[in-house]
Amino acid sequence: MKKCVVIYNPNSGHKEVRRYLPEIEKIIRKKDYDLEIIETKYKGHAITLVKELPNVDLVMSFGGDGTFNEIMTGNLSRKEKLLLTHIPVGTTNDIGGMLGYTKNILENVKLSLNGTIKNFDIGLINNNPFIYVAGFG
């Protein structure tokens, strides 16, 4: 059986992701994934979680742009990279917009699981990765 790990930020956006977890779980399990759900506890926690994950088939990020950036950063430090997807539940969700998602969390989960794999460029500034924007001044 395939393995999916959901990493979610309980403080993203309007803090509604918890109430969707039972439906999210049903959708993912319908696609024949064994599922583990992990809540982040502090800033930077998602980086550590992804670094320490065993090899799994899919990691789903539920949070804002910052949460996905942490998950992507953790993945970059791994020898064997994991397949990542991002479900936007933050306030702005610019990365979600780049991926073609709507504001409907459950529909976005279905789109992600039924979609195609895409490659994204990742920028580096002083060895710090970013996927969307970097500011300096």
Side-chain angles (χ1 to χ4, degrees):
M1 180 176 271
K2 300 177 290 185
K3 172 81 177 201
C4 174
V5 174
V6 165
I7 298 174
Y8 77 96
N9 181 344
N11 298 310
S12 284
H14 302 289
K15 302 180 182 180
E16 293 185 355
V17 72
R18 271 195 191 111
R19 75 180 175 109
Y20 288 100
L21 287 177
E23 285 300 313
I24 290 167
E25 182 174 352
K26 284 181 193 173
I27 293 167
I28 295 170
R29 288 194 188 279
K30 260 185 162 174
K31 290 290 188 177
D32 294 322
Y33 281 98
D34 183 26
L35 179 63
E36 180 178 0
I37 300 174
I38 306 170
E39 177 182 296
T40 60
K41 304 289 184 195
Y42 51 86
K43 184 176 179 170
H45 191 205
I47 296 170
T48 304
L49 290 171
V50 173
K51 280 182 180 181
E52 296 176 356
L53 278 177
N55 287 333
V56 297
D57 299 290
L58 179 63
V59 176
M60 298 185 88
S61 165
F62 285 79
D65 297 335
T67 303
F68 186 62
N69 197 67
E70 286 187 19
I71 287 173
M72 179 266 314
T73 299
N75 199 39
L76 280 177
S77 69
R78 295 175 57 93
K79 183 176 180 181
E80 292 186 43
K81 307 298 185 255
L82 301 170
L83 180 63
L84 307 177
T85 190
H86 176 60
I87 307 300
V89 297
T91 306
T92 307
N93 299 314
D94 287 330
I95 295 171
M98 287 174 15
L99 295 171
Y101 289 126
T102 68
K103 297 288 184 188
N104 186 315
I105 294 170
L106 299 179
E107 285 304 312
N108 291 340
V109 173
K110 292 174 189 174
L111 282 171
S112 180
L113 293 171
N114 294 322
T116 58
I117 297 172
K118 296 180 180 181
N119 292 314
F120 274 86
D121 290 331
I122 297 170
L124 289 172
I125 295 178
N126 295 328
N127 287 324
N128 293 310
F130 64 94
I131 193 165
Y132 172 55
V133 297
F136 55 91

